[in-house]
Amino acid sequence: MRALRKYSLNISALLFLPAPLYAEAINAEQAAHLENLVIQDCGSCHGLTRKGGLGSPLTPDDLSHAEPEGLAMIILDGVPGTAMPPWRPLLTEDEALWIANYLLTEPAK
Amino acid sequence: MIRTLTVALALAFVAPAYAEQPCCATGDLGLVVERSTGSLLVVDQSERAAIGRIEGLGDLSHASIVYAPDERFAYVFGRDGGLTKVDILAQSIVGRVIQGGNSIGGAISDDGELVAVANYEPGGVRIFDSETLELVADIPTGSKTIGLVDAPGRRFVFSLWDAGETWIADLSGAEPVVTRNEGTGSYPYDALVTGDGRTYIAGLFGEKGLTAFDLWDETPTPRRILPDYGKGQEDLPVYKMPHLEGWALAGDRFVLPAVGLHQVLWVDARSLEEVARTDTHGQPVFAMARPDGRQVWVNFAHPLNDTIQVIDTLTAQVIHEFRPGPAILHMEFTPRGHEVWVSVRDAGKVIVYDAETFEELGVIEAEKPSGIFFTARAHRLGL
């Protein structure tokens, strides 16, 4: 699975696509998987509707000040001293960036 | 003789009124939370089947349920602050209030008259009349509030995530009396009360150890227990907070999930000293003791959440490991422990296992199932 992701990323690099938008490095199947992860597993702390819980709210309004790259770093490295764990052991940088953009653009239900 | 006959005749006239009551008893029923669709599946234990669905309960991420003493009405605590009263027999919602912005769980008083909800936002506990869902008491804490349990004597006990305190609210008198205990420790994330209502234990996220209160004391004071577990070891990331609700006395000790370590911890029930540790497959979420205490079933946090381990109480050894499917969120034993029901969220299934042979006995389709709650909880303190 992990190897496949790298492969698809390499192809997009070979085709000299512009700096990959988040959607391009992640295929539809991966996107569905990541969306489920955001809703269900991030949702454990941040709420299924991303309106917060033990973790802070993550709706586009709440994140309006944030840059996708910054959010991706928080996802990958966590926030020391809080309950937000580093997801780097489980996610690639492309996946974290996809999630960051998803949070910034996908309206909360 | 004549008098007896008169009574019998009178009863004969009264009897039809009883006959109009609903047909079914509820002792064998339960509810399964369907977290994404805001619905509840009504399940029948002996049929191992779903017998209905109740819809319209809002955001049910991290939802939990308590039962009225009659085992007919259930109170559902949703993440969106919704408190919903459902009638299991009629399979319908009979009352619903949005009592807060963001909540984390609830409890019902020993007499069944009060339902309390713990809120993240606004931080505190709100207490409602279980009949009407009217607000009875509002206890703001200024902190995300967690680990709410009932205790004997119309009391509720809860802890403050941000402030590291544990409060006891006594509603036995005309006005609620709230006792504050500081010094619970850094970031209590959940708590349990023992089945006798005596010991309240809060797990800590911000530091090692747990904090116990003896509720039989005139003035309960915090006592740090297991302060050294995991000391010197690097913490592993916690992708899902453990739950302490599934605790149970397993023989003369109870078992608790560690935080940031892939272990469960065995605690002597009398001394509250650590007596053993068992290495586990991942970060434990629930460590549920079978009602007889002979085994403990453990599920795990993302991404190792497809596996269950069964630990033998006497040896503290893992005796069985299996993979029911992706995202196991909860396990519920039948009241006498012959079966365990397991919710497998991403497979959309509740799977029923024989708790002795581990044989699969049945599968119930469910929409992203999470918590499973059998009505027998109505008669257990702290659930």
Side-chain angles (χ1 to χ4, degrees):
Chain A
M1 193 67 183
R2 194 155 283 253
L4 266 179
R5 277 175 211 152
K6 286 216 174 95
Y7 183 61
S8 65
L9 181 67
N10 287 341
I11 286 181
S12 65
L14 282 174
L15 294 174
F16 301 106
L17 290 176
L21 285 172
Y22 73 98
E24 293 178 20
I26 301 292
N27 67 33
E29 189 186 335
Q30 291 165 340
H33 170 77
L34 290 174
E35 183 173 32
N36 188 60
L37 179 85
V38 170
I39 295 172
Q40 300 294 338
D41 294 300
C42 303
S44 297
C45 280
H46 297 280
L48 287 179
T49 55
R50 314 200 320 258
K51 287 174 186 157
L54 199 57
S56 52
L58 299 177
T59 66
D61 282 350
D62 293 302
L63 299 174
S64 56
H65 59 282
E67 295 295 328
E69 291 76 13
L71 282 179
M73 290 309 284
I74 291 174
I75 294 166
L76 290 168
D77 296 330
V79 182
T82 75
M84 176 65 185
W87 289 79
R88 199 179 286 281
L90 306 179
L91 295 173
T92 65
E93 295 193 357
D94 286 323
E95 289 169 329
L97 195 58
W98 186 94
I99 290 172
N101 279 290
Y102 177 90
L103 296 175
L104 288 167
T105 54
E106 182 74 15
K109 284 175 194 157
Chain B
M1 181 64 188
I2 286 172
R3 186 171 295 168
T4 311
L5 190 63
T6 317
V7 170
L9 277 173
L11 280 177
F13 283 110
V14 171
Y18 289 101
E20 286 168 18
Q21 295 294 311
C23 66
C24 311
T26 58
D28 192 11
L29 303 183
L31 293 168
V32 177
V33 173
E34 297 184 307
R35 64 204 301 260
S36 299
T37 44
S39 51
L40 301 172
L41 210 55
V42 185
V43 293
D44 184 314
Q45 282 168 45
S46 48
E47 300 293 326
R48 298 190 193 111
I51 58 170
R53 179 174 273 133
I54 304 171
E55 294 178 315
L57 287 98
D59 180 355
L60 292 185
S61 51
H62 208 288
S64 60
I65 295 174
V66 298
Y67 286 100
D70 61 10
E71 295 190 1
R72 173 174 177 179
F73 295 103
Y75 302 88
V76 185
F77 310 101
R79 170 51 65 77
D80 58 2
L83 164 61
T84 311
K85 181 178 179 180
V86 301
D87 179 339
I88 306 175
L89 283 181
Q91 298 185 5
S92 64
I93 293 173
V94 292
R96 178 166 162 82
V97 291
I98 301 294
Q99 57 79 43
N102 203 316
S103 22
I104 188 61
I108 187 164
S109 59
D110 53 0
D111 59 6
E113 290 182 1
L114 302 169
V115 172
V117 193
N119 288 316
Y120 284 149
E121 184 57 49
V125 169
R126 285 183 172 152
I127 300 172
F128 298 85
D129 182 315
S130 64
E131 188 68 39
T132 62
L133 300 188
E134 275 169 36
L135 187 69
V136 173
D138 186 10
I139 306 170
T141 61
S143 171
K144 288 176 181 169
T145 302
I146 55 92
L148 169 65
V149 301
D150 61 291
R154 270 167 83 98
R155 288 184 298 167
F156 294 105
V157 188
F158 46 91
S159 295
L160 281 51
W161 163 261
D162 310 281
E165 298 180 10
T166 296
W167 294 15
I168 301 169
D170 184 334
L171 284 100
S172 59
E175 291 292 322
V177 177
V178 177
T179 313
R180 289 176 60 166
N181 280 285
E182 294 173 3
T184 299
S186 175
Y187 293 123
Y189 66 88
D190 195 16
L192 65 86
V193 65
T194 50
D196 56 9
R198 178 169 184 175
T199 310
Y200 178 87
I201 298 176
L204 302 175
F205 182 79
E207 60 185 293
K208 288 302 169 196
L210 303 95
T211 301
F213 291 86
D214 184 348
L215 301 179
W216 287 7
D217 271 355
E218 198 66 32
T219 50
T221 48
R223 177 186 157 195
R224 194 60 50 86
I225 62 170
L226 277 56
D228 295 325
Y229 90 76
K231 207 160 248 182
Q233 286 173 267
E234 181 136 359
D235 271 2
L236 299 163
V238 179
Y239 293 111
K240 184 176 169 67
M241 283 285 182
H243 286 242
L244 297 181
E245 172 244 78
W247 91 281
L249 207 56
D252 53 2
R253 47 197 189 168
F254 47 92
V255 62
L256 300 168
V259 185
L261 293 174
H262 295 182
Q263 289 179 330
V264 294
L265 312 168
W266 299 83
V267 183
D268 183 280
R270 201 158 289 169
S271 68
L272 302 182
E273 302 282 344
E274 182 183 335
V275 287
R277 288 181 205 188
T278 304
D279 289 329
T280 55
H281 175 68
Q283 165 68 55
V285 175
F286 282 101
M288 307 285 275
R290 205 169 70 178
D292 65 352
R294 188 67 176 81
Q295 298 171 351
V296 175
W297 290 50
V298 186
N299 72 329
F300 304 99
H302 181 88
L304 300 170
N305 55 1
D306 63 346
T307 299
I308 287 177
Q309 286 182 318
V310 181
I311 303 174
D312 174 70
T313 305
L314 291 181
T315 62
Q317 298 292 313
V318 174
I319 53 166
H320 186 60
E321 177 176 323
F322 66 115
R323 297 210 157 102
I328 295 153
L329 292 195
H330 198 217
M331 301 162 286
E332 175 88 333
F333 286 94
T334 51
R336 297 196 187 193
H338 70 301
E339 288 177 3
V340 59
W341 290 39
V342 175
S343 57
V344 189
R345 184 192 72 201
D346 289 348
K349 286 176 183 164
V350 172
I351 306 179
V352 182
Y353 293 95
D354 184 302
E356 193 60 44
T357 65
F358 313 122
E359 183 193 347
E360 185 179 312
L361 301 174
V363 175
I364 299 167
E365 301 294 321
E367 195 64 42
K368 299 273 184 200
S370 60
I372 304 170
F373 302 86
F374 290 145
T375 52
R377 286 170 172 252
H379 309 295
R380 287 186 58 197
L381 203 140
L383 292 183

